[in-house]
Amino acid sequence: MEACLGILRRLIAKGDVNGIPLAECAITEYLEVTPGAARRSGLRLIQDDVLKQRDAVIGDRRELAETVNAYIEPMLTRR
């Protein structure tokens, strides 16, 4: 999870929308290596961190954080 968080934090800090595929890849890789029972809670922790980053920045950085959150949100609502 720490690797995923680190990547997302760096991408949000840069605010470069070209980093969206890398953010998606980091989240997907996290899910692939995490046992099924721990995925949802871990994904919620990642989402919480992304939302904290979003609330702390403006402009392109905020938009990138919102995009990452929009990518995570449907994963949390799936059963």
Side-chain angles (χ1 to χ4, degrees):
M1 178 181 336
E2 290 303 316
C4 180
L5 286 172
I7 290 168
L8 295 176
R9 287 174 184 158
R10 285 189 296 277
L11 291 172
I12 292 168
K14 288 182 182 178
D16 183 2
V17 294
N18 292 325
I20 291 172
L22 184 56
E24 292 173 353
C25 183
I27 294 166
T28 300
E29 286 180 9
Y30 164 76
L31 293 172
E32 289 174 355
V33 300
T34 303
R39 287 182 187 145
R40 185 173 300 248
S41 62
L43 201 52
R44 285 184 208 270
L45 290 172
I46 291 170
Q47 183 185 40
D48 287 346
D49 193 74
V50 167
L51 293 174
K52 286 177 187 173
Q53 296 297 314
R54 180 201 65 191
D55 292 344
V57 295
I58 59 171
D60 292 342
R61 294 176 181 113
R62 184 176 181 90
E63 290 177 28
L64 183 60
E66 288 175 350
T67 301
V68 171
N69 182 56
Y71 181 75
I72 293 170
E73 190 64 34
M75 293 177 190
L76 290 171
T77 59
R78 290 184 199 146
R79 290 183 177 222

